Amino acid sequence: MGAKSIIALTLLCYLMGMMMCVLAAHDYGDALAKSILYFEGQRSGKLPFQQRLTWRKDSALKDGSDVGMDLVGGYYDAGDNVKFHFPMAFTTTMLAWSVIEFGQSMGPDQINHALDAVSWGSTYLYKSTANVPYKIAAQVGDPYKDHNCWERPEDMDTSRVTYVINQTHPGSELAGEMAAALAASSMAFKSSNPKYSYVLIKRAAQVFDFADKYRGSYNTSVGQGACPFYCDYNGYEDELIWGAAWLYKATGSQYYWNYVQNALPNVFLSSGQFGWDAKDAGINVLLSNLARPSQKVLTEADKFVCSLLPESPTKSVVFSKGGLYFQPGSQGYFNLQRITSHSFLIVVYSRYMQDAHRSVNCGGKVVGPSRLVEFARSQVDYILGSNPLGMSYMVGYGNKFPRRIHHRGSSLPSIVNHPQHIVCKAGTPYFQSKNPNPNILTGAIVGGPDMNDQYADDRTNAGQSEPSTYYVAPFVGVLAFFKGLKG
């Protein structure tokens, strides 16, 4: 089916007021390849000779020197040039989980690229925790100074200050997520690189011990470096359970199982939250497939599913006419970060349900695994272009996609074509320009449309046009899942 036919059929669905409409299948394999490629565009540090997005070059080669650490590498989180370690760790966890669950569906080429994406994050997190239990690097770059400039990462001349957490200024949510990322990455590499896997799991245990022993929020310890950009809004207890759960999954150690079981009754986990901040729904889904899942975990995981399905009497979301869901009362900004992470949990839980021969009862509506897959596909296909605008919200996928994304490197001329240094304010005209971005950040997923299924292709509208690593990381797994189904 051509692009015009898809647009016409999608418009027909929209006019009929249908929540979902069956369209011709998207090329999930192509979308998967592009989603993995995206992470090469977010790399910081010395780029390898295999770098495929060649408009990106080396950047931030002295990171960590102010605190005597090697912090070269890692990922820029979004359209800026700061390395926020909290969302970076979550991104790495989700990339690793995508490989663990769906790596077999990726194909030989893409699984290697996916593992490269995992290791770019996990190796950096390993370096960031080199001085545990004395200190852990929490972030690199002054966000206020960085956000005051529109500069390519290759040109950065703003402060690359390193923020740290330590025994007197702890950050349990950050360290807990780092432990989860290192443990999940260890599992991802267990068969292909067992030595690296062992190194990662050993460090994961050390970082978790630090997170648990020296409790406190990095909101206070890092202060304005973290807030208001990536404040932890719901406490660090969920990250401690999340980290312990991943360590149990990776090691089978009774210690971590006991830790999870002892902590769960004392922590309220909202069934519907999952992302770089709240790990609640992710914990419930992850634990539902471990040995001896508690009834509480299964009940909360079921509630998560029921909170999203359009036919569920207990749903807590609203749907646009085109079929995308939103939190009630939201403006829709950055909405796709919720869709991609939730879709990942839905397809993972559908597999767990199928293995356990379970169904979910949503207020009298009984749904099975196939219904969860169908619902997740409706959201995935919307992102890929089955929507009223016929717009793919993945950059580079399809014929119509965002051309003016809120991203410094993409919107400024490549250093290949413009080798002269572009200073802080000299980039402002490029930010304000109505021209399409000169560099295609293939695989990026933007914030997405509003409640009326409308999208402003405007880089000054960050809520709709800014992509982030933690949007794409769970989507890697979702796309691999659907690629596998098609196969």
Side-chain angles (χ1 to χ4, degrees):
M1 183 180 290
K4 291 183 178 179
S5 299
I6 291 177
I7 293 172
L9 185 52
T10 322
L11 179 60
L12 178 62
C13 294
Y14 176 73
L15 293 174
M16 294 175 64
M18 296 172 63
M19 295 297 289
M20 286 169 286
C21 188
V22 178
L23 302 176
H26 284 278
D27 189 341
Y28 300 117
D30 180 52
L32 171 65
K34 288 177 165 61
S35 69
I36 297 171
L37 179 60
Y38 159 75
F39 289 94
E40 295 191 16
Q42 296 301 110
R43 284 172 169 171
S44 178
K46 183 71 176 177
L47 303 186
F49 72 91
Q50 313 97 306
Q51 174 79 10
R52 294 176 293 163
L53 279 184
T54 55
W55 55 266
R56 279 297 324 282
K57 300 298 177 184
D58 300 345
S59 61
L61 299 180
K62 296 181 180 179
D63 279 1
S65 58
D66 60 325
V67 293
M69 297 180 71
D70 174 11
L71 297 176
V72 177
Y75 290 114
Y76 303 116
D77 73 302
D80 53 20
N81 299 321
V82 182
K83 293 191 298 196
F84 294 98
H85 294 183
F86 192 23
M88 191 197 302
F90 175 72
T91 293
T92 305
T93 305
M94 296 310 297
L95 281 171
W97 199 0
S98 295
V99 168
I100 293 165
E101 293 286 348
F102 307 116
Q104 72 280 359
S105 300
M106 293 180 179
D109 291 336
Q110 295 311 315
I111 184 61
N112 289 330
H113 290 312
L115 286 171
D116 285 344
V118 175
S119 66
W120 198 269
S122 59
T123 299
Y124 179 79
L125 295 174
Y126 185 82
K127 294 198 295 184
S128 300
T129 58
N131 294 321
V132 72
Y134 303 106
K135 69 178 179 182
I136 290 175
Q139 180 176 315
V140 181
D142 183 323
Y144 294 94
K145 293 179 180 178
D146 180 89
H147 289 181
N148 189 46
C149 294
W150 196 258
E151 280 186 309
R152 300 177 296 199
E154 295 84 359
D155 284 336
M156 275 188 295
D157 48 21
T158 54
S159 169
R160 298 301 291 173
V161 60
T162 302
Y163 299 83
V164 301
I165 55 174
N166 54 39
Q167 296 175 3
T168 56
H169 296 82
S172 295
E173 60 275 90
L174 172 61
E177 183 62 64
M178 284 181 160
L182 291 165
S185 298
S186 172
M187 294 185 66
F189 284 100
K190 190 170 185 178
S191 60
S192 63
N193 194 340
K195 290 183 178 179
Y196 182 58
S197 173
Y198 173 77
V199 166
L200 292 178
I201 196 61
K202 185 177 179 181
R203 178 61 56 81
Q206 295 169 333
V207 174
F208 178 79
D209 288 345
F210 174 86
D212 186 40
K213 184 175 181 179
Y214 305 103
R215 293 194 176 198
S217 175
Y218 98 131
N219 289 356
T220 302
S221 300
V222 179
Q224 290 188 342
C227 293
F229 307 97
Y230 288 102
C231 297
D232 178 27
Y233 292 100
N234 72 328
Y236 54 76
E237 290 83 1
D238 57 328
E239 276 82 22
L240 290 175
I241 297 175
W242 178 242
W246 273 108
L247 277 158
Y248 173 70
K249 189 174 176 69
T251 66
S253 168
Q254 189 69 31
Y255 171 80
Y256 296 112
W257 177 254
N258 292 340
Y259 186 98
V260 169
Q261 294 306 301
N262 291 334
L264 274 175
N266 302 317
V267 178
F268 172 75
L269 296 177
S270 171
S271 59
Q273 300 297 317
F274 186 60
W276 59 263
D277 179 13
K279 308 306 183 303
D280 303 23
I283 291 169
N284 291 320
V285 169
L286 181 67
L287 292 178
S288 72
N289 195 46
L290 297 182
R292 308 184 301 277
S294 69
Q295 187 57 49
K296 177 184 177 182
V297 162
L298 295 175
T299 299
E300 292 302 318
D302 288 354
K303 283 183 181 179
F304 163 70
V305 169
C306 296
S307 72
L308 301 178
L309 293 175
E311 69 269 29
S312 171
T314 58
K315 69 177 180 292
S316 61
V317 297
V318 294
F319 288 81
S320 71
K321 288 185 178 181
L324 191 70
Y325 70 84
F326 295 80
Q327 290 291 339
S330 74
Q331 298 298 314
Y333 295 141
F334 311 109
N335 186 55
L336 292 189
Q337 69 172 301
R338 180 179 297 110
I339 304 298
T340 59
S341 59
H342 285 183
S343 295
F344 179 88
L345 293 184
I346 290 168
V347 296
V348 168
Y349 197 49
S350 73
R351 294 184 69 188
Y352 294 173
M353 287 170 57
Q354 187 170 10
D355 291 344
H357 305 289
R358 293 185 62 245
S359 59
V360 175
N361 189 322
C362 299
K365 296 280 186 178
V366 179
V367 296
S370 61
R371 174 64 187 119
L372 270 63
V373 172
E374 179 187 9
F375 174 67
R377 179 170 172 170
S378 74
Q379 302 302 296
V380 171
D381 286 358
Y382 186 109
I383 292 173
L384 295 180
S386 300
N387 55 62
L389 296 181
M391 165 81 78
S392 165
Y393 293 106
M394 174 183 282
V395 174
Y397 179 85
N399 296 321
K400 183 180 180 182
F401 54 83
R403 302 281 180 169
R404 300 166 185 83
I405 65 173
H406 183 96
H407 189 278
R408 287 159 175 77
S410 174
S411 66
L412 289 157
S414 166
I415 200 168
V416 176
N417 299 320
H418 190 291
Q420 295 81 14
H421 185 85
I422 300 175
V423 298
C424 175
K425 294 301 182 183
T428 302
Y430 296 98
F431 170 68
Q432 297 173 338
S433 169
K434 301 299 182 183
N435 295 329
N437 290 7
N439 307 308
I440 303 298
L441 186 60
T442 304
I445 295 177
V446 296
D450 62 20
M451 277 285 297
N452 297 314
D453 299 300
Q454 298 303 301
Y455 176 78
D457 192 8
D458 178 359
R459 75 178 61 86
T460 67
N461 182 352
Q464 289 194 291
S465 67
E466 186 171 18
S468 295
T469 56
Y470 45 87
Y471 296 11
V472 185
F475 210 52
V476 168
V478 176
L479 292 169
F481 171 79
F482 283 109
K483 177 179 181 289
L485 281 189
K486 186 177 180 181

